[in-house]
Amino acid sequence: QVQLVESGGGLVQPGGSLRLSCAASGFIFSTYAMDWYRQAPGKQRELVASITRGGTTNYADSVKGRFTISRDNAMNMLYLQMNSLKPEDTAVYYCTQHYPPRYWGQGTQVTVSS
């Protein structure tokens, strides 16, 4: 069955960096566009970044220039490099397929605080 397992979250100070990973299985990863979403407490889940099968990327305005989405199709892995982190980046981060049907993992918590 489809599995998406996010990892790499943690507590980081403002201005710091984290690299999130998403291990995908149960589907042909290389044929899917993929997304990173996040959900902060009391807020709706929001799209952070997308990457096509061919590697074209798009970002939410709030993270443009600070976050980089990438993929390794040989390893069935999706990544999100997050630099210059701000307190407002605090959220649970999820990876998912860009087009339905979407599957969701358990997410990984990112907390940006001094």
Side-chain angles (χ1 to χ4, degrees), residues 6-67:
E6 302 92 343
S7 62
L11 174 62
V12 63
Q13 291 187 341
S17 297
L18 282 174
R19 188 194 195 205
L20 305 184
S21 299
C22 170
S25 60
F27 63 104
I28 304 174
F29 178 76
S30 62
T31 65
Y32 282 73
M34 297 293 296
D35 296 336
W36 281 101
Y37 276 76
R38 67 186 180 187
Q39 187 166 21
K43 294 188 176 182
Q44 287 191 329
R45 195 169 294 187
E46 63 171 346
L47 178 63
V48 174
S50 300
I51 187 166
T52 67
R53 296 176 296 174
T56 300
T57 58
N58 281 288
Y59 300 93
D61 287 343
S62 58
V63 307
K64 206 170 289 185
R66 300 188 298 121
F67 289 11

